[in-house]
Structures are given as structure tokens and as C-alpha cells.
Amino acid sequence: EVSTELSKQLSGEWKVVAIDLPGHGESPLLLSESHHAVRTALGVEIDAHHVDLSIDGLAAAVLTSLKQDHGIDEVDAVCGYSLGGRVALAMRRAFDRGGKGSSKMSIVSEQTKMLLLSAYPGSLPGPDLHVGIETKEADSSERAAKDDLLAHKMTALWMASQLARQNDKSVSSMWSDLLASWYGAKLWGELRNRKYEKYVKMTTRRARSLGRRGPDLAIVLRACSPPRNPDSDWSNAISSRTLFMAGELDAKYSAIGNQWHEQSPGLSYVEVPNSGHALLVDAAEEVASTLATFFSKTVETSEEEELLTSPPAMTSAPASSEILEKTEDQATMSSVSKSLPTLLPKVPVEVGTLDFEPFSIELQGNGGSTKGAFGIGWGDRAKPKAENGLKERRGLIINLNSRDGEYVGIGEISPLGGLHPETFEEAETFLELIRKRLIVASQQESLPIIDAEKILRLDGALSSFIDSLF
């Protein structure tokens, strides 16, 4: 929609080229073909490391495509939304590292303009508390672990979808919980309530994309996690040739835009009224109009600006992205109802601490005459072969305490290889992530509330509670 509007508003001398990043759109499938699902189910390792899916790898792919596939020798302006904006900044940095002599890098120049929509530019210096929190998270292993957890969910759902006969309605239903949780976060500005029809179209399109290439999007999410990539690409942008846009209802990115503009007055910052993070959906016409104006604007860089910024001005080539962007913490769970069973707490309970202890039990069969248990798993894994025997049962005992010390919950996690999608090691990693998150929450006086009645219904409330932690 934005591309269509932009083409209408630009003069005929402009040529608009949109690039599907590796792992996105109509680019070649990486890990999402049917035979990949079979190999994954059989536990056969799949090699996808031949493609560099880091931010720098995606930037190199876009440059190569523009040069070789589209025959473009020079780029006058580049626009990137979300992940695409980060890729654009990486292309600018690649030029600064000496790309002038490279045939790929030579398509950008000191005059190229950069337009960034709801894009994370890296850790901006300064006292701003909102950006400071994001910076600390991006620099920590916790952020990478959260991205890995989401990637694991995406891959697991995709695997499950391969077993079902699907149409558009069933695909949307399968991904509905994940997408509802994702787009329910604060930075989207309650898009579902404000523009329901657009929200439905957007989530339907996202569900179709995830259903087609979930593992591809998951592996890009892992590779592009902020802690695994350079974190100061903002410093390579020349302010007079850079436009940053964010929605008024997107507190996270509007704070970034205001801080960047304050530090670099020459940078153009536009805050779109009554819009959230999904600018391309929320305000397509206004975004297109702003882009067209900036594209056509004559820019003269002052000597002072050139001295204050690092090497010559550079931006990047058009890059689009469908990857799910990390969101802010979601709202805590609501209060419990008045009709709770007598054994359950009758007041909302704040979670205090989480502890867990691994255990291992040796398994035997035939009255103890043989070691191992058989018949666990699917297909060949369930056949009574020596190599299929489960020699031990590994698990984790969980102890969850309320903040006031009045309530204690005991639980167990014991995934079975060949039967459950997660492994013991993954379960242990996720528990450790939750344990650390509760420690941070307790220090910030922002502890989540448990609705025990809903969780005991086994209807997905526990997953929603865990998602609310992050």
C-alpha cells in the first residue's frame, strides 16, 4: 500500500525497487520446505549455515541483489521499516569500512538519503531512561534468550501445521494465539481496537507468511537478535540526509526518535499522530507523503555537520521485512474471579521466587531384568529396538513461592525425547530465564499476578502468564 501511494506521489524519474530480505516474502525458502519438516521430525540435522542471516549478511544480500538482479549502479535514497531499517544502517556502515572500492558498495554514495521507519538504530548515548532500558536489554544474554524462545515457538507451530490439512482459515487459527499476544503489546498502540479491519488483514497476512516459512523467519530472528549484531550503527548516519519516523502511540520508538533528534538537530524526525509501530498499516498515506517529500528535498550538508559525523554520508538500498519485532513488556494478568475453589487463594497472588532442581531416574523393564523403557515416541521411535530404549527419565522439580510467603506451588517438567518437541536442556534454559526475570521484576516492584483458577483449566492461561513476564 505504501509502495503504491509512493509511486503516485513521486515524479516519473524515480524508480522504486522493493527487496525481499533472505528468509522473507518471495525469496528462496531456506528451512521451510516439506522435506525440512520430515528431517526435523526424524532428528536429522539441517545445515542452513551456508547463508549469512546476520544483519551484515542481509545487508550484503540486498546490495548484491540491487547490483546483479536489478542492474542498479547508484541508489539515491533507501527506505527500511523495522528490520529493514537496521539492514539499511548496516549497508551504510559497510560503505564506511572501505566499500568505495567494492562494486557492490559503490551503488551507494555520500549523497544517498536514508529513511528509517520504526527501526532500532542501536544504543544512543545519553541519559534517556526509556532508551537506556532497551539498550541494557539488547546488550544482555536475556534478550538473546527471549528471541531464541520466540523462534522456538515459531518453529514448533510450523512443524505442527505441516501435519494438518490447511486453508487460510485454519492457518490463521493455528497462529492466532501467538499473533494476538504479539500485536497486543503496547508499542502497537491497540491497533486491534482502533482499526480492526486493518488489524485482521495484517494478522492474516502474517499468519500466512508464518505458515509458509516459519523456520526461515525463526532463524533470521535468532541471527538478527541485537546482542549478536553491532549496536552503534546510528553513528554512521549523516543527520541532514536521514529521516526517522515513529508512531505517536509507539512510546519506545518515539522516545528513540526524540532523543536522536535532540542529539543531532539536523536529523529529520516525524512523529505520526494516532499511530503505533505498524506505520505501513496504520498510516500508509501519511507515510508515503512524508517519504516523497523527503526524497525530493534538496539537502546541503554543512561543514560543521560533516565534521561532527563519521565518514561520508551513506544509506542503503530498499529493504522490506516481515519479521516480528521485539515488543515491550505486556500487561500483567488480571485479578482472579470471586468464584475460586476453596483450595485456591481468594486474592490475587504476586509471584515471588522460582527455584528448580534437576532429577534423573533409571528406567527398567520386565520386573527389573532389563534396562530401559520402550514404546515411547512416534513411528520408528516407538518400535522395541535396543537403540530406542529410554534409559533414564530426566526432569526438573519446580518450586514457586508467592511474594508474601503465604503460598507455595510445586510442579514438574519432564520432556520425553521423541515424544515432546522440547528437550530437557531447552526446558532448563527457559526456567533459568524465567527465574532471572522474576528477580529483576522483584527489584523493580513490578511482579506479575497469577490467576490460579485460569491456569488450572489448562486452556493456555499458563502460556499467556509466561508471555506476560517478557
Side-chain angles (χ1 to χ4, degrees), residues 106-154:
S106 62
I107 66 174
V108 294
S109 72
E110 286 85 349
Q111 304 305 312
T112 306
K113 296 177 181 178
M114 182 183 300
L115 302 91
L116 309 173
L117 313 179
S118 301
Y120 179 58
S123 299
L124 294 167
D128 187 280
L129 296 178
H130 188 95
V131 178
I133 293 173
E134 170 65 17
T135 298
K136 292 176 183 177
E137 180 188 27
D139 286 339
S140 70
S141 59
E142 180 181 349
R143 172 61 189 268
K146 287 165 63 176
D147 288 342
D148 290 346
L149 175 58
L150 178 58
H152 175 78
K153 289 181 179 179
M154 291 162 63

Side-chain angles (χ1 to χ4, degrees), residues 5-6 13 64 93 104 146 195 217 244 272 281 300 398 442 467-468:
E5 290 294 327
L6 188 58
E13 63 182 352
T64 300
R93 173 167 45 80
K104 282 194 302 185
K146 287 165 63 176
K195 300 177 180 178
L217 294 168
F244 188 88
V272 184
V281 174
E300 293 183 5
I398 306 168
S442 66
D467 288 341
S468 76

Side-chain angles (χ1 to χ4, degrees), residues 13-36:
E13 63 182 352
W14 284 88
K15 177 182 179 182
V16 178
V17 178
I19 301 292
D20 284 330
L21 298 176
H24 296 76
E26 299 302 317
S27 63
L29 296 177
L30 303 173
L31 295 175
S32 302
E33 297 190 65
S34 56
H35 69 88
H36 289 132

Side-chain angles (χ1 to χ4, degrees), residues 51-179:
V51 180
D52 183 0
L53 298 174
S54 66
I55 294 295
D56 285 352
L58 298 183
V62 172
L63 287 165
T64 300
S65 179
L66 286 168
K67 189 75 173 179
Q68 297 181 0
D69 300 334
H70 298 276
I72 294 176
D73 295 321
E74 184 177 354
V75 173
D76 297 297
V78 56
C79 178
Y81 166 74
S82 192
L83 176 63
R86 295 174 62 198
V87 172
L89 287 165
M91 295 167 70
R92 168 72 175 93
R93 173 167 45 80
F95 181 90
D96 283 348
R97 288 201 309 259
K100 297 177 183 179
S102 166
S103 60
K104 282 194 302 185
M105 304 304 173
S106 62
I107 66 174
V108 294
S109 72
E110 286 85 349
Q111 304 305 312
T112 306
K113 296 177 181 178
M114 182 183 300
L115 302 91
L116 309 173
L117 313 179
S118 301
Y120 179 58
S123 299
L124 294 167
D128 187 280
L129 296 178
H130 188 95
V131 178
I133 293 173
E134 170 65 17
T135 298
K136 292 176 183 177
E137 180 188 27
D139 286 339
S140 70
S141 59
E142 180 181 349
R143 172 61 189 268
K146 287 165 63 176
D147 288 342
D148 290 346
L149 175 58
L150 178 58
H152 175 78
K153 289 181 179 179
M154 291 162 63
T155 302
L157 277 173
W158 181 84
M159 284 291 296
S161 73
Q162 302 307 297
L163 301 176
R165 191 176 288 179
Q166 297 181 62
N167 52 40
D168 281 349
K169 185 175 181 180
S170 64
V171 169
S172 296
S173 176
M174 183 164 287
W175 294 95
S176 61
D177 288 344
L178 185 147
L179 291 174

